[in-house]
Amino acid sequence: MRPLHLPQPSTLADEAAEMQRINQLLDGGLLTLRFPPELESRFMRDSAEQRLRHFLISGLLALLVYNGFLLVDYLMARDVFWLAVSIRLFFFTPLSLLGLWVGWRHARRLPPSVWPLLTEVMVLGSGLIAAASLAFILSSSHSPMSHHYHVGFVVVILYGNIVQRLRFGLALLFSMVVLAIHVGGVLLLPNMPERLGWPIIMMVVATVVCSLYANHAMERDERRRFLLTLRERGLVRELGHTHERLQALSRVDGLTGLYNRRHFQEHLQGVWARAGFDGSQMAILMLDVDHFKKFNDRYGHPAGDACLREVAEVLQHHLKRPADFVARYGGEEFIAVLPQSDPAYAAGVAERVRQAVEALQRRHEGSSTARVLTVSLGVACGRASATQAPDQLIALADRALYQAKRDGRNRVALASGA
């Protein structure tokens, strides 16, 4: 008999626990921007492809903007312009292009737990190098206009926190390092006008605070979308499991756990078609519990239900080939289809079932056949053909069952011609 294919309880419990975890994180507001380890790893893996693509595209655009600042170098630090050209075009640009090429061609070949981190490291490194190169250009210039050029650190901070959207922890580290480079340059350079230094520092500090707030909000929204997507997938899975359970319940007899008559009819059509294709014989067994009404009247319906469950267990135990199919046909009647079975084999199985039920030794004092519970079985065998329908084989088995009852019950009858 084929088993029902339902989700394992352990699987359902794991999915329910995950849904509870997701709801708790969503309700908590995601202020810490950190998931439990397993979920965090999944988040990093799932977002890695999008992060890498964003890094490559925005990295190229940022490189164009970075080199576009050569115009600003010429206007505000003309005395070190060729130094700026060397740093921007012959040092930073080749290094950045190499990093972008590595990310494009080789990042995906790394383990899934490594290349998301590599992307963040490349973003962090490129931003810090850009900040360091700006600081070096400013420290080398003696132009009075270069003092105003310190606002260029605002662009660097915006690049890491807003454009490249570093993870908040790295964005915080990046901002503090860039801010330290900037403040050190303002306070340590002897030619910085006092009235200009502090306003510029305050402008960069304000940029750090505002960009970190925006960075935090963007990552929180990204994580929230990730959780909402997981919850949506979980709800879809839950609906699928519910549908499977409802489908299974519509095919199963609630008392015995066997398939019901409706599903038996559907299954029989498929068995009949396969038997017609390969020309093999098949058998139908019909079983009826002897004097079941008297059993119910004497011992009560709960005992009758227990009796039917025991008979169902006997059938399942003795008809255990993968293709054998057992169902409750109605009331105290059961039916089974045995593919690729000849009359001798089917009759032998039926006899073993009859003996096993009798061996239960369940008392049945209301029976006129025996003092214990017994069953009668009818067996019919045949070959599928275009001129026959499976209902005809069921009718033969039903007539054989009637013959077994008429001959005294507690016996097996084989349909004539089977």
Side-chain angles (χ1 to χ4, degrees), residues 83-230:
L83 174 65
V85 170
S86 300
I87 292 174
R88 293 182 186 278
L89 293 182
F90 303 118
F91 171 69
F92 186 84
T93 297
L95 191 64
S96 298
L97 291 175
L98 176 63
L100 292 171
W101 181 80
V102 169
W104 175 50
R105 294 299 300 269
H106 300 287
R108 296 176 183 84
R109 301 178 184 177
L110 298 172
S113 59
V114 173
W115 63 282
L117 180 61
L118 176 63
T119 303
E120 301 296 328
V121 169
M122 286 192 293
V123 172
L124 179 65
S126 63
L128 292 179
I129 293 173
S133 65
L134 176 59
F136 185 71
I137 292 170
L138 292 177
S139 66
S140 302
S141 176
H142 297 285
S143 171
M145 294 296 293
S146 65
H147 307 317
H148 303 277
Y149 201 178
H150 280 264
V151 295
F153 286 100
V154 169
V155 179
V156 176
I157 292 169
L158 292 177
Y159 162 77
N161 294 352
I162 304 299
V163 177
Q164 286 288 8
R165 294 181 302 188
L166 278 165
R167 296 298 176 198
F168 182 75
L170 290 176
L172 181 60
L173 172 64
F174 170 74
S175 299
M176 292 301 102
V177 174
V178 174
L179 183 60
I181 293 173
H182 165 63
V183 173
V186 170
L187 298 181
L188 296 179
L189 290 178
N191 58 348
M192 171 64 70
E194 184 177 346
R195 295 181 61 184
L196 186 61
W198 286 109
I200 291 179
I201 289 176
M202 292 303 298
M203 182 183 298
V204 176
V205 169
T207 302
V208 167
V209 173
C210 293
S211 64
L212 283 176
Y213 177 81
N215 178 278
H216 186 281
M218 287 188 293
E219 183 171 347
R220 182 187 60 206
D221 290 344
E222 182 185 0
R223 288 174 178 269
R224 182 176 177 80
R225 287 194 299 270
F226 171 73
L227 291 177
L228 290 173
T229 300
L230 290 184

Side-chain angles (χ1 to χ4, degrees), residues 212-276:
L212 283 176
Y213 177 81
N215 178 278
H216 186 281
M218 287 188 293
E219 183 171 347
R220 182 187 60 206
D221 290 344
E222 182 185 0
R223 288 174 178 269
R224 182 176 177 80
R225 287 194 299 270
F226 171 73
L227 291 177
L228 290 173
T229 300
L230 290 184
R231 186 166 70 177
E232 183 180 352
R233 291 174 184 169
L235 290 173
V236 171
R237 282 197 306 270
E238 187 177 335
L239 286 173
H241 295 332
T242 301
H243 178 71
E244 289 176 2
R245 286 194 294 269
L246 290 174
Q247 285 288 95
L249 289 174
S250 71
R251 296 178 293 170
V252 173
D253 172 59
L255 176 64
T256 63
L258 298 177
Y259 288 107
N260 57 27
R261 180 171 181 167
R262 173 187 171 188
H263 187 54
F264 174 82
Q265 294 283 5
E266 295 173 357
H267 177 78
L268 183 59
Q269 294 293 333
V271 175
W272 187 263
R274 287 191 293 273

Side-chain angles (χ1 to χ4, degrees), residues 254-313:
L255 176 64
T256 63
L258 298 177
Y259 288 107
N260 57 27
R261 180 171 181 167
R262 173 187 171 188
H263 187 54
F264 174 82
Q265 294 283 5
E266 295 173 357
H267 177 78
L268 183 59
Q269 294 293 333
V271 175
W272 187 263
R274 287 191 293 273
F277 179 77
D278 59 26
S280 61
Q281 280 188 304
M282 57 179 290
I284 295 289
L285 271 63
M286 290 195 73
L287 178 150
D288 186 83
V289 180
D290 294 331
H291 308 292
F292 185 70
K293 184 177 183 306
K294 293 180 180 179
F295 186 94
N296 263 343
D297 293 342
R298 186 175 183 88
Y299 300 105
H301 288 284
D305 290 346
C307 162
L308 293 177
R309 283 192 289 267
E310 288 182 353
V311 172
E313 289 174 5

Side-chain angles (χ1 to χ4, degrees), residues 1 263-265 267-272 274-275 281-286 319 321-327 334-341 345-346 380 390 393-394:
M1 180 178 175
H263 187 54
F264 174 82
Q265 294 283 5
H267 177 78
L268 183 59
Q269 294 293 333
V271 175
W272 187 263
R274 287 191 293 273
Q281 280 188 304
M282 57 179 290
I284 295 289
L285 271 63
M286 290 195 73
L319 283 79
R321 294 185 306 176
D324 293 344
F325 193 92
V326 187
F334 297 85
I335 193 167
V337 56
L338 284 68
Q340 297 182 332
S341 300
Y345 174 79
L393 196 59
I394 294 177

Side-chain angles (χ1 to χ4, degrees), residues 342-408:
D342 58 25
Y345 174 79
V349 171
E351 178 60 25
R352 287 194 293 274
V353 169
R354 185 198 67 78
Q355 293 176 7
V357 172
E358 189 173 15
L360 293 174
Q361 291 296 298
R362 177 178 272 274
R363 293 182 63 80
H364 188 356
E365 295 176 353
S367 172
S368 57
T369 301
R371 291 300 178 187
V372 296
L373 186 74
T374 59
V375 294
S376 301
L377 296 101
V379 180
C381 291
R383 298 181 188 275
S385 66
T387 59
Q388 277 189 314
D391 288 344
Q392 293 176 267
L393 196 59
I394 294 177
L396 281 175
D398 188 51
R399 284 201 292 271
L401 175 61
Y402 178 76
Q403 183 65 41
K405 291 179 180 180
R406 192 172 59 182
D407 290 346

